[in-house]
Amino acid sequence: MSDTGDGSARPPLFGPGSQFHELFDDPRWAPAMIRATVLEAAHPQIGAALIDNSTFVTHPWRRLRNTFLSLQRMFGADDQVRAKEAARLNRLHTRLRGRDANDRPYDATDPGVRAWVVATLFESAVTMCRMSGRPLPPSAVEQLYGEFRAYHAAFGDEAGQLPDSLPEFWSYYDRMVEEELENTEAMRIILYKLFDHLPAPPLLHGFPTLWALGRAVVGPAIGAITVASLPESFRRRAGLPELLGAGALMQGAYLTADLARFLPEGWLRAQNVADLLALSPGSDDPRARTVTALQERMRRAGALLRLVAPTSFPAAPAPPPSGRRSAEEFFRDVLDQTGDGYLTWPDLAAMARELCGRLDLDEPAETRLYDAFADWWRELQTALDTDGDGRVSAQEYAAAAPALAGPALIRTAEVLFDAADEDGNGRIDEAEYRALFRTAFHRDTAGDPETRTDTVYTRGAFVRDFLSFMSGRRLSTPYDPLLADA
Amino acid sequence: MIDVIEAARSAGVEWLSLYAFSTENWRRPDDEVAFLMELVRRAVRKHAPLLRARGIRCRFLGVTHPRIPPALAQDFADLTTLTGESRRMTLTVAFDHGGRRDIVAAARSLIRGGVPAEDVTEESFAAHLPFPDTPDVDLVIRTSGEQRISNFMLWQVAYAEWVFPPVLWPDFRAPHFLECLHTYQQRERRFGGVPPKQNGAP
């Protein structure tokens, strides 16, 4: 592979000039990524890991943004960034292991498993081009495969999991589809549940009706389109339904996505889309301000409508009692990150994972934070798991919620403070605060002098805020966009 | 009420506050309280479009008591939202308001923020009061012949001029308001010193 000899400069494996970079902003990725994720989830080990640990059903937008950032780092031109990201993913993967419902072990660091993830990404990229009627030329496929092999190699797994040559890859791929893939629960959730319940991205929280309407139309279509794009042999074996016209719909979707290439340059940038989806209204980004302004106008129109309507008009649902949310809401919005209705270690691990990602933590700070969350989990389990089934249900939580701020939670707050206080001056200044919450200081004229006194956060104030949020006592702290938003 | 607001606006007043209901008013009989609530609610709903059209920003000071009917609180919130962008005049309606409570809240907020004692100044303290952008009050009109402060915006009225027209509030109209304004213009405001400064409009 490294032998060229013809004298011409080889195209780079990563960054500008690579085949992946060519395809990066392609809107066909949207359906292709869903397809790749379904194929990943159909692998029994990956499916089990997703079911146990993943937050993608409850926090799909956050998850999408993290995936996007990670791919960008891994395929960028900077080798140092790539090495750092690979190390981060390796650490993250070592924390994802366990046993599935049939007591089969799963392990995210299994080299075969990781090879399959890379294989689905590569194959979906090739397929998205075929489906839209503009297949990649063989040389480009060859080049793209080389890049994905390099991506896999960056993790430091032993070679040989991904075949050396492209023909060998296709037989490996076909064998995996024929023999390894199953109709897993995770796959069914992605196909039939995720898009029907997809929460609105943070930016569109002000338009719940609009979102629900669009979702009701588009949600089932996404499932059908994805099924139609899966390998035929797998569809047959997994017993996935063949819907009349789904094939045509699928090709139409890929074609339409491909037509977007005629849009003026710069209109469709994956970066912009990902940023937009992750934006919180109220942040200082100009685009967020535009949307916020629009939401303001909608809000005012709604207010006027309510005021001039006759009093007998059923009033809008009462806003939650100021500044507090019920224990149940808090359980659903914040604690139950995996959305399975129970609080278990993976929920807290997901919070730790998100915080580590935000703060870009390295070892040993990352382990310290995980350990703190693990201690907190043991504390919660001891205090709340009254029926002894190893997990905490919403009822168990609601029954004991007031007594939650134990020593392990306080310790968690302190560890988080130390991690966020990068320069170690005992205060979280503006830059550190932004790194943690990533939304700007949205302070209106009335202000909320209770949460923050100035642009710095003292240890005491930070710990107190964290405790009052984590014990569900206060709404609308900076933690909401961090842990509660989708 | 709307009469007075209109008069103030055309006279060029930029900040107007009305004392609608004090924290102590909850001690009144239940049916009187309920009647007052209904009255305020009707007024808010009736005048909302006009207030919006006149560019008057409305906001409500206080409004924390759990006894405030949710429908009324919703109307307050809606009116605040509706007129939030307006800046020609700011109308603050003190409802379930107590001046002492606001001062206590500011002190609490300072202590929570861990501000060292020597850093507390009049300005920094005022920044922790609700609606810290409210300027010092120039003129307080106490109607109905009463001559008490009644726990009204205690911090902000420190150097206010006071007038006490005998007319009852329900009968208080635009001409009465302009008369009070005129009285105020005749006053010499010294703020504790002796600057021979002439009063302008508030």
Side-chain angles (χ1 to χ4, degrees), chain A residues 300 303 306 309 311 453 464, chain B residues 41 45 78 81 85 112-113:
Chain A
R300 279 203 293 278
R306 278 194 296 274
T311 6
T453 51
R464 198 172 42 245
Chain B
R41 177 148 199 244
R45 298 177 71 90
D78 281 342
T81 307
E85 297 286 286
R112 279 207 199 95

Side-chain angles (χ1 to χ4, degrees), chain A residues 296 299-311 313 315-319 445-447 449-450 453 458 461 464, chain B residues 41 44-45 48-49 52 57 59 70 74-75 78-79 81-85 87 109 112-115 127-128 131-133:
Chain A
E296 274 303 304
R299 264 176 5 104
R300 279 203 293 278
L304 179 62
L305 205 66
R306 278 194 296 274
L307 283 170
V308 298
T311 6
F313 189 84
T445 45
E450 284 185 25
T453 51
T458 58
R464 198 172 42 245
Chain B
R41 177 148 199 244
V44 164
R45 298 177 71 90
R52 166 94 179 93
R57 169 170 65 154
R59 53 194 195 179
Q74 176 73 57
D75 284 351
D78 281 342
L79 186 60
T81 307
L82 181 68
T83 61
E85 297 286 286
R87 284 294 180 276
S109 162
R112 279 207 199 95
V115 181
H128 287 259
F131 299 135
D133 58 339

Side-chain angles (χ1 to χ4, degrees), chain B residues 8 12-18 57 59 87-92 131-139 153 177 202:
Chain B
V13 174
E14 286 177 7
W15 296 84
L16 180 70
S17 304
L18 295 175
R57 169 170 65 154
R59 53 194 195 179
R87 284 294 180 276
R88 285 182 58 188
M89 180 168 104
T90 299
L91 172 68
T92 306
F131 299 135
D133 58 339
T134 310
D136 275 355
V137 171
D138 290 315
L139 168 67
M153 294 178 86
F177 181 79

Side-chain angles (χ1 to χ4, degrees), chain B residues 61-142:
Chain B
L61 180 63
V63 199
T64 54
H65 204 283
R67 270 180 67 187
I68 295 172
L72 181 62
Q74 176 73 57
D75 284 351
F76 285 170
D78 281 342
L79 186 60
T80 308
T81 307
L82 181 68
T83 61
E85 297 286 286
S86 308
R87 284 294 180 276
R88 285 182 58 188
M89 180 168 104
T90 299
L91 172 68
T92 306
V93 179
F95 192 93
D96 177 35
H97 159 77
R100 283 185 175 176
R101 187 174 63 184
D102 287 355
I103 292 173
V104 170
R108 277 198 187 136
S109 162
L110 278 165
I111 294 165
R112 279 207 199 95
V115 181
E118 53 277 13
D119 289 359
V120 179
T121 61
E122 291 189 8
E123 287 74 28
S124 73
F125 189 92
H128 287 259
L129 290 165
F131 299 135
D133 58 339
T134 310
D136 275 355
V137 171
D138 290 315
L139 168 67
V140 182
I141 302 171
R142 180 80 211 231

Side-chain angles (χ1 to χ4, degrees), chain A residues 319-336:
Chain A
S322 59
R324 283 158 182 274
R325 61 174 122 210
S326 72
E328 244 168 63
E329 275 175 310
F330 186 73
F331 188 89
R332 191 191 58 221
D333 291 348
V334 178
L335 292 175
D336 185 12

Side-chain angles (χ1 to χ4, degrees), chain A residues 31-187:
Chain A
M33 277 298 267
I34 301 171
R35 178 180 182 279
T37 313
V38 168
L39 284 168
E40 274 172 41
H43 189 289
Q45 281 206 52
I46 303 174
L50 284 175
I51 286 293
D52 272 4
N53 300 288
S54 186
T55 56
F56 70 90
V57 175
T58 30
H59 304 277
W61 302 109
R62 194 175 81 191
R63 166 78 198 246
L64 181 72
R65 191 196 149 81
N66 290 347
T67 305
F68 175 81
L69 261 178
S70 175
L71 279 176
Q72 203 178 29
R73 288 177 183 155
M74 289 302 290
F75 279 95
D78 191 332
D79 285 328
Q80 243 177 332
V81 170
R82 180 166 27 261
K84 193 172 169 218
E85 178 65 11
R88 191 185 72 84
L89 288 172
N90 277 334
R91 291 198 304 270
L92 195 151
H93 287 160
T94 50
R95 296 197 166 91
L96 301 178
R97 56 176 52 145
R99 295 192 159 268
D100 69 5
N102 299 323
D103 211 31
R104 293 180 294 186
Y106 68 82
D107 180 353
T109 54
D110 182 323
V113 166
R114 286 219 284 219
W116 178 243
V117 173
V118 178
T120 60
L121 283 172
F122 165 70
E123 192 269 345
S124 289
V126 174
T127 304
M128 80 181 187
C129 295
R130 264 188 334 111
M131 297 288 187
S132 59
R134 260 193 329 137
L136 289 172
S139 62
V141 178
E142 193 81 51
Q143 191 192 340
L144 190 64
Y145 185 60
E147 290 162 16
F148 272 95
R149 272 176 52 89
Y151 167 60
H152 185 239
F155 289 108
D157 289 352
E158 71 254 47
Q161 292 296 332
L162 274 182
D164 289 336
S165 74
L166 203 49
E168 285 171 282
F169 171 80
W170 291 122
S171 42
Y172 154 80
Y173 181 83
D174 290 341
R175 187 185 61 74
M176 287 295 286
V177 170
E178 284 292 335
E179 294 169 13
E180 298 286 332
L181 297 196
E182 290 173 15
N183 185 343
T184 62
E185 190 192 345
M187 182 192 84

